[in-house]
Amino acid sequence: MAYMLEGRTGAWEVVVGLEIHAQIISESKLFSGASATYGGAPNAHVSFVDAGFPGMLPVINKECVAQAVRTGLGLKAEINLFSRFDRKNYFYADLPNGYQISQFAHPIVGTGQVEIELQDGTLKQIGITRLHLEQDAGKSMHDQHASKSVIDLNRAGVALMEIVSEPDIRSPEEAGAYLRKIRQIVRYLATCDGNMEEGSMRADVNVSVRKPGEPFRTRCEIKNVNSVRFVMHAVEAEALRQIDVWESGGEVVQETRLYDPSRGETRSMRSKEDAHDYRYFPEPDLLPLILEQDWVDQLKASLPELPDEKRERFCRDYNIPFYDAGVLVAEQATADFYETVAKGRDGKLAANWITGDFFAAMNRTGKSIDNPPASAAAMGELLDLIADKTINGRIAKDVFEAMVETGKMPAAIVEEKGLRQVTDTGAIDEAVAKVLAANQDKVAEYKAGKEKLFGFFVGQVMKAMAGKGNPAIVNEAVKKQLG
Amino acid sequence: MSIFDLTIAAAAKKLAAKDLSAVELTTAYNKAVAALNPRLNAYITATPDLALEQAKAADARIAAGTATALTGIPIAMKDLFCTAGVRTTAASRILEPFIPPYESTVSAKLRDAGAVVLGKANLDEFAMGSSNITSAYGPVENPWKRNGSDAKLVPGGSSGGSAAAVAARIALAATGTDTGGSIRQPAAFTGLAGIKPTYGRCSRYGIVAFASSLDQAGPMARNVEDCAILLNAMAGFDDKDSTSAPREVPNFTAALSRGVKGLKIGIPAEYRLEGTNPDILALWDKGIAWLREQGAEIIDISLPHTKYGLPVYYIVAPAEASSNLARYDGVRFGLRVEGEDLIDMYERTRAAGFGSEVKRRIMIGTYVLSHGYYDAYYLKAQKVRNLILKDFTDAFTKVDAILTPTAPSAAFGLGEKMDDPVTMYLNDVFTVPASLAGVPAMSVPAGLSADGLPLGLQVIGKHFDEETVFAVSAAIENAAGFSALPEVRAK
Amino acid sequence: MSLDAATVRRIARLARIRVNDDEVSVLQGELNAILGYVEQLSEVDVSGVEPLSGGAQMVLRQREDQLSDGGIPEQILANAPDREMNFFAVPKVVE
């Protein structure tokens, strides 16, 4: 069902395109040898090049180029063997040169495509317009001093990829799914850490509304939105605002806006509206960036398996449902964990354990997949113990809890606590006989036709055996003795 | 013979033979600077104490036997090269307080070779000008005078301080930078040799940028040989400049004696411009005759887009400059004039910090890049620039080098050609095309005008073929036997 | 194309250079003279000609990703007209 917003004049469709700024993972900056690491003492990660000193010149970092190409390949996009840098000219206190080196006319990556999945399982393709390389600005802080703004240039010059989507997105949910998908891809590729809190990933959101079937109307750009949730809220808030403007007989003006999460609304950034004439021109301090097809091919060959492919493979190789596979590949580390556990074992059982008890334990203990509540080796051993019938599924849950609590391996826990499953038919027959003898009245009821008491007898037997009875043999024995 | 008559080559010999110490040579030059600079204003900042220290180190190096051809040679450094710990102004008010914590690659190479830096030479503000009148630190006086006149003449620009210093012998040689003729035109105006090497031959790292796609450092000296000695040290690949060419530097001094026998020299018809001083046209004909006499083959060529060089230049250079100079905003270095808010501070700082020629060029550059005008001006200019490059590459399939005049006139008076900016810009008409094409070009002093002022001829070569430029220039120098000296000079 | 006074003001604003009325009229004349001069480029046929943007005819050299700079906050701040501890300081910006 298409997402529509109901206005006074009828239904409105929301049209959204995202420009995602993703900070590239590299040692040093795009055009200087200063550290690209987040944080650091003020102006400690700054070279004269980053600070725009007279006579300083940019020299491009090969790894940043490779990261952009990897990301482009991950977005199934065209890699442009010829690209070029341009200067985007504007004055701001944290933009040392008075221009940003970016790629305007000839980006390094051209059109591509990503697939997003919605809550109801619908899959949708979102077009990628381009990806280009550019440098980040520094940071202005306005609340550190009573009468001054202060500037830290540590981030100035750090490499960014700007990933621009087509206006293919039609709802807040799609916007959120798209952003998450891009984050998932760059994390898989290790080209960006996707950390939106530290600002290493942020989005400019272009929003417009229209009546179904109309051409596009004027859009507004909401700058620097820094969480998936805020992007979704901003889309809705801005769409509602625009519908109100149109329906009140007004005209939406193309402008830059800011999302204010505390008020849940967008507002005009008049300070940035001043003279948006960036005077792009080719950066004369750099030459055209020419890539060799062989080099691109090498990067392509060394790409890790991406989430979509991995998900399909999991379905195929481990015979698990598409939904479960999606949950397991959400994070590369989870997928790796799963695969370590599932390899050579019952993939379905492994998936159930990981998405069930294991995730629950992770949430409960506040741990993460990198510091898991139970190791992949331990989980594997647990599945092995179930498979070779050393323990049954019921006991396995107890063993798992003990693993989480003590960090011990499951086999050791089973031995220590004597949880080995009883398969000795003699012992089981004996336990069944005792239970039936102690519940003569219920046996009579059962025999009179109250068949659902069968489960009661099994339960009593298992209880008497401290849960260690092999469920199949116990069932068999109860059935036989009840006649 | 005075100590000031020595060329670099001659001084180096005396230093090596211990006939002269670097300290003696530097002390003499320091004194000459102190005596003549107040009049000529060739230096913005003289650094006599630093020079003396460097001279002492040079003497030690000579004694240790590790001297180069430049060890102990006192030179002037154009104040566009950033020098660590020494104020670097670019002749602008906006950089008045600026002390770079780093050294430009070219000045570092010269320092490493043992050259002694006497001070930072005056120039047009941010190297924008052809007469050195736009310096915020006052104009430079040309040490040459017209016969029988005491009128002050300009030394040319933008490397006017470098030119005046070397001509008046208050520096043995100097560094310059050339964006549209800023080495060659002042060299011609002051009777010096000066070469703009191929774009990419010398690193631009640490040189205050004017127009990045055109700026090139080069030497200015008494003769062609001294230029070769200096360029040997200044040139070379630098991994801090992406436009620096990863090429071996040939031995330029070795090329001087090659001669011109069998070389094909192109004479472009389009340089025979109306309005050019007849003395200059006559000198050009002489130059042609000298080369022919020495065995060169003279070939008439066409560089059809020559006349569009200046209009292209006056779009491309200001466009790049408008962006390059955006960093002077009063935030991280240089002048700041406080304002009501950030934008007000920017506007006041830049209004007070930049002189009128710089403002004019920033304005033009901003305009030609602005929305709606980019295609008509900047893009068009870049296309015509390509045609100008093609003119040269076509010509160089037929000839080995090209001979032209350096400038359409001799040095003019301070205050002349001020009617409007365009009249001043016309000075660069012969030098700009080689800059746009990125090819090497040298001005050689070849004669005097009727009123006794030096005139230069320009030798233009193929990309990275400075050796042929040196060979042809040396041949002209030998034939011309230029020996005139300016009236104002250290003796 | 001829610049009017309003355009001169707009350009000055873009370039962040404060100009007073007298300067505007002087600049207007000078800029128009320069634009008039470069106007002659319109007579050149550039169809099929690629723009030449750089001075060097080479491809871009790429450096290895190594930490080789930074860690010099004192030098970075040494020329600052105003600073607050190790930050550059400017008049307060109201967002």
Side-chain angles (χ1 to χ4, degrees):
Chain A
M1 196 49 212
Y3 174 89
M4 291 282 168
L5 286 172
E6 213 45 51
R8 293 194 300 277
T9 60
W12 293 83
E13 187 181 31
V14 183
V15 178
V16 180
L18 256 61
E19 292 165 18
I20 298 173
H21 301 263
Q23 186 180 315
I24 288 175
I25 295 174
S26 62
E27 283 291 311
S28 61
K29 294 182 178 181
L30 182 53
F31 296 117
S32 89
S35 171
T37 314
Y38 179 80
N43 290 305
H45 298 172
V46 181
S47 71
F48 297 123
V49 175
D50 307 317
F53 272 67
M56 291 300 105
L57 298 169
V59 182
I60 199 165
N61 180 340
K62 186 174 192 172
E63 176 62 12
C64 295
V65 176
Q67 293 286 56
V69 170
R70 288 185 190 108
T71 308
L73 292 168
L75 299 173
K76 315 244 179 306
E78 185 187 347
I79 305 302
N80 293 324
L81 298 180
F82 173 96
S83 69
R84 207 182 58 197
F85 290 90
D86 299 286
R87 289 188 185 176
K88 178 181 182 177
N89 295 283
Y90 65 96
F91 286 88
Y92 200 65
D94 55 24
L95 186 72
N97 281 318
Y99 55 82
Q100 176 195 35
I101 304 177
S102 182
Q103 294 188 304
F104 179 62
H106 299 277
I108 187 164
V109 176
T111 55
Q113 192 158 281
V114 298
E115 186 174 77
I116 59 168
E117 185 181 9
L118 305 177
Q119 287 280 303
D120 64 2
T122 315
L123 297 177
K124 181 173 175 176
Q125 304 296 322
I126 304 294
I128 301 291
T129 313
R130 57 186 281 163
L131 174 155
H132 67 254
L133 276 166
E134 62 184 26
Q135 42 176 197
D136 205 350
K139 196 172 177 201
S140 297
M141 280 154 283
H142 311 300
D143 50 6
Q144 309 270 312
H145 189 277
S147 60
K148 296 171 186 175
S149 290
V150 300
I151 293 146
D152 176 14
L153 296 179
N154 279 351
R155 267 171 49 181
V158 170
L160 299 178
M161 302 178 277
E162 181 171 329
I163 304 165
V164 183
S165 85
E166 292 289 311
D168 290 346
I169 295 163
R170 291 289 176 275
S171 69
E173 189 199 349
E174 289 181 19
Y178 170 76
L179 184 54
R180 274 196 300 267
K181 188 57 179 272
I182 296 289
R183 188 172 59 179
Q184 184 189 36
I185 292 171
V186 295
R187 281 179 170 167
Y188 261 75
L189 293 166
T191 57
C192 169
D193 66 20
N195 189 332
M196 298 192 77
E197 273 160 37
E198 287 178 0
S200 48
M201 197 164 169
R202 47 194 196 265
D204 295 343
V205 189
N206 286 290
V207 180
S208 67
V209 296
R210 66 175 174 184
K211 293 288 181 71
E214 274 186 357
F216 293 145
R217 297 197 184 198
T218 310
R219 65 189 161 87
C220 289
E221 183 181 18
I222 309 156
K223 280 273 180 204
N224 269 331
V225 190
N226 62 0
S227 85
V228 173
R229 203 159 51 90
F230 290 167
V231 165
M232 296 170 70
H233 289 175
V235 167
E236 183 165 7
E238 176 60 14
L240 288 170
R241 183 191 72 85
Q242 290 182 16
I243 290 168
D244 190 53
V245 171
W246 290 121
E247 291 191 332
S248 316
E251 183 103 1
V252 170
V253 252
Q254 187 163 348
E255 63 177 350
T256 306
R257 299 180 69 84
L258 202 66
Y259 177 66
D260 180 346
S262 60
R263 295 181 173 194
E265 63 184 29
T266 70
R267 58 186 155 80
S268 184
M269 284 173 81
R270 287 196 184 78
S271 62
K272 291 255 174 183
E273 279 313 296
D274 176 50
H276 257 195
D277 190 339
Y278 291 128
R279 290 158 283 137
Y280 285 101
F281 75 105
E283 163 57 285
D285 286 332
L286 295 168
L287 302 156
L289 180 60
I290 310 291
L291 308 180
E292 299 288 339
Q293 185 62 51
D294 280 358
W295 183 70
V296 174
D297 291 343
Q298 279 170 33
L299 289 178
K300 190 169 190 175
S302 65
L303 285 189
E305 185 181 31
L306 287 165
D308 288 353
E309 284 81 60
K310 198 182 280 287
R311 186 178 188 180
E312 273 171 34
R313 185 171 61 81
F314 278 12
C315 292
R316 205 170 53 234
D317 290 4
Y318 299 108
N319 195 28
I320 57 174
F322 190 64
Y323 177 82
D324 288 2
V327 173
L328 290 169
V329 304
E331 299 277 349
Q332 172 126 40
T334 311
D336 290 348
F337 188 95
Y338 168 72
E339 198 147 30
T340 310
V341 177
K343 200 149 237 167
R345 301 194 175 96
D346 180 341
K348 237 178 196 168
L349 190 62
N352 288 341
W353 270 95
I354 288 170
T355 58
D357 294 73
F358 176 79
F359 278 180
M362 197 158 79
N363 287 337
R364 194 176 66 235
T365 57
K367 292 194 167 182
S368 69
I369 196 72
D370 300 317
N371 173 29
S375 71
M379 291 305 290
E381 191 175 295
L382 182 66
L383 293 193
D384 290 341
L385 293 172
I386 298 168
D388 68 11
K389 302 195 162 55
T390 303
I391 54 173
N392 62 39
R394 165 70 194 76
I395 289 295
K397 292 195 184 276
D398 294 344
V399 173
F400 176 74
E401 293 311 322
M403 283 157 60
V404 172
E405 201 170 305
T406 65
K408 288 182 184 163
M409 290 299 280
I413 294 168
V414 168
E415 288 315 313
E416 199 176 287
K417 299 196 171 179
L419 297 174
R420 194 170 274 276
Q421 174 169 254
V422 178
T423 50
D424 171 359
T425 47
I428 291 171
D429 281 344
E430 195 179 316
V432 173
K434 268 188 191 163
V435 166
L436 297 188
N439 294 285
Q440 290 295 340
D441 48 340
K442 293 224 167 52
V443 172
E445 282 176 44
Y446 176 83
K447 288 190 169 162
K450 204 167 173 188
E451 289 189 4
K452 64 178 180 190
L453 279 169
F454 185 81
F456 165 78
F457 298 125
V458 171
Q460 290 298 306
V461 173
M462 289 300 269
K463 194 174 167 190
M465 299 185 72
K468 292 182 284 185
N470 176 305
I473 302 174
V474 169
N475 266 311
E476 202 52 39
V478 171
K479 202 179 279 176
K480 202 173 75 192
Q481 292 198 32
L482 282 169
Chain B
M1 188 166 155
S2 147
I3 198 172
F4 298 105
D5 290 332
L6 297 171
T7 59
I8 294 177
K13 257 187 212 145
K14 281 189 175 290
L15 288 166
K18 315 270 165 59
D19 286 348
L20 177 69
S21 74
V23 167
E24 284 169 320
L25 187 61
T26 297
T27 305
Y29 270 96
N30 273 344
K31 280 185 185 155
V33 172
L36 286 178
N37 197 52
R39 168 174 181 176
L40 296 173
N41 200 27
Y43 289 92
I44 291 174
T45 309
T47 53
D49 297 343
L50 217 54
L52 208 54
E53 261 176 53
Q54 291 168 350
K56 282 176 190 160
D59 278 332
R61 210 167 145 177
I62 292 164
T66 57
T68 78
L70 286 172
T71 306
I73 302 299
I75 62 169
M77 188 68 66
K78 187 176 183 179
D79 203 16
L80 202 62
F81 292 84
C82 289
T83 41
V86 176
R87 185 172 76 133
T88 300
T89 68
S92 182
R93 201 54 74 199
I94 211 156
L95 279 177
E96 191 168 11
F98 180 57
I99 296 173
Y102 50 85
E103 185 85 19
S104 82
T105 296
V106 165
S107 56
K109 279 171 171 275
L110 289 169
R111 230 167 54 167
D112 291 349
V116 171
V117 178
L118 297 165
K120 305 298 293 287
N122 206 341
L123 64 149
D124 279 298
E125 185 179 1
F126 282 105
M128 298 179 189
S130 312
S131 57
N132 215 118
I133 54 171
T134 71
S135 169
Y137 303 86
V140 175
E141 184 185 344
N142 190 333
W144 291 80
K145 300 285 166 201
R146 289 189 186 113
N147 290 336
S149 159
D150 214 24
K152 283 189 180 178
L153 304 178
V154 302
S158 65
S159 311
S162 298
V166 181
R169 305 182 160 205
I170 56 174
L172 217 174
T175 58
T177 63
D178 189 315
T179 305
S182 283
I183 287 174
R184 293 160 286 162
Q185 184 253 21
F189 277 18
T190 54
L192 302 179
I195 181 169
K196 178 202 88 74
T198 310
Y199 183 85
R201 183 63 98 180
C202 291
S203 169
R204 293 185 297 114
Y205 177 86
I207 301 174
V208 177
F210 161 16
S212 308
S213 77
L214 295 157
D215 296 344
Q216 246 317 276
M220 304 172 78
R222 308 265 169 83
N223 62 21
V224 175
E225 184 185 19
D226 283 3
C227 283
I229 294 168
L230 280 163
L231 190 58
N232 280 339
M234 294 165 73
F237 172 69
D238 180 9
D239 62 11
K240 295 199 284 294
D241 174 2
S242 299
T243 62
S244 167
R247 285 177 175 255
E248 287 296 309
V249 180
N251 184 344
F252 298 120
T253 41
L256 296 170
S257 53
R258 279 186 187 180
V260 294
K261 201 173 175 73
L263 285 184
K264 297 186 172 110
I265 306 294
I267 308 299
E270 291 79 6
Y271 280 61
R272 219 162 270 281
L273 271 192
E274 232 177 285
T276 300
N277 181 331
D279 297 349
I280 288 171
L281 294 176
L283 184 69
W284 191 13
D285 289 337
K286 262 195 202 168
I288 293 168
W290 291 332
L291 293 176
R292 188 181 281 128
E293 280 159 22
Q294 294 181 62
E297 185 186 345
I298 303 300
I299 297 176
D300 287 329
I301 59 164
S302 172
L303 298 169
H305 297 89
T306 297
K307 68 176 280 206
Y308 302 112
L310 271 182
V312 167
Y313 179 81
Y314 277 96
I315 290 171
V316 170
E320 292 181 11
S322 71
S323 177
N324 281 336
L325 270 59
R327 72 193 62 202
Y328 305 104
D329 58 5
V331 176
R332 283 147 292 115
F333 43 75
L335 179 81
R336 172 189 288 195
V337 179
E338 296 296 344
E340 289 162 23
D341 55 26
L342 184 65
I343 293 179
D344 194 45
M345 180 198 92
Y346 286 156
E347 292 187 344
R348 287 175 189 273
T349 297
R350 291 165 64 79
F354 292 138
S356 56
E357 180 62 25
V358 171
K359 286 181 192 167
R360 203 150 45 224
R361 297 208 196 183
I362 291 175
M363 293 282 287
I364 278 288
T366 303
Y367 180 70
V368 299
L369 290 176
S370 69
H371 188 70
Y373 300 97
Y374 179 86
D375 288 1
Y377 289 110
Y378 189 75
L379 192 64
K380 178 82 187 236
Q382 282 192 319
K383 288 178 177 175
V384 181
R385 183 175 180 184
N386 209 354
L387 292 175
I388 290 167
L389 171 63
K390 192 171 171 295
D391 281 359
F392 281 101
T393 48
D394 288 351
F396 283 128
T397 62
K398 302 183 204 100
V399 300
D400 300 302
I402 294 168
L403 184 71
T404 76
T406 305
S409 75
F412 48 87
L414 209 59
E416 288 172 29
K417 305 207 181 195
M418 302 286 289
D419 320 347
D420 68 280
V422 174
T423 310
M424 186 63 83
Y425 295 171
L426 291 173
N427 263 294
D428 301 331
V429 65
F430 296 148
T431 48
V432 149
S435 295
L436 291 169
V439 291
M442 182 163 207
S443 181
V444 200
L448 293 176
S449 65
D451 50 4
L453 293 178
L455 299 173
L457 288 178
Q458 175 177 235
V459 179
I460 306 172
K462 297 176 188 175
H463 286 104
F464 298 104
D465 187 16
E466 288 87 355
E467 288 167 281
T468 299
V469 173
F470 275 116
V472 175
S473 299
I476 290 170
E477 184 179 56
N478 289 336
F482 184 86
S483 59
L485 290 172
E487 193 179 304
V488 184
R489 66 176 197 277
K491 287 170 192 162
Chain C
M1 279 177 264
S2 174
L3 295 189
D4 57 17
T7 307
V8 172
R9 282 202 181 81
R10 183 174 65 81
I11 297 299
R13 173 93 176 156
L14 258 183
R16 294 287 186 268
I17 296 173
R18 172 179 285 252
V19 286
N20 60 36
D21 291 350
D22 292 348
E23 287 169 313
V24 168
S25 62
V26 172
L27 275 167
Q28 193 184 343
E30 289 169 345
L31 299 186
N32 276 321
I34 296 167
L35 291 174
Y37 177 68
V38 303
E39 194 61 50
Q40 57 181 300
L41 288 186
S42 61
E43 68 199 45
V44 188
D45 179 8
V46 293
S47 44
V49 179
E50 284 295 310
L52 176 67
S53 54
Q57 268 68 135
M58 308 185 294
V59 298
L60 189 59
R61 190 166 31 79
Q62 302 176 42
R63 64 167 223 279
E64 295 304 318
D65 181 26
Q66 278 159 1
L67 201 60
S68 59
D69 212 336
I72 44 165
E74 260 323 306
Q75 290 186 59
I76 293 293
L77 288 146
N79 279 282
D82 190 14
R83 63 188 273 190
E84 283 298 326
M85 300 189 301
N86 272 6
F87 295 100
F88 294 102
V90 297
K92 201 173 190 81
V93 177
V94 186
E95 275 289 317

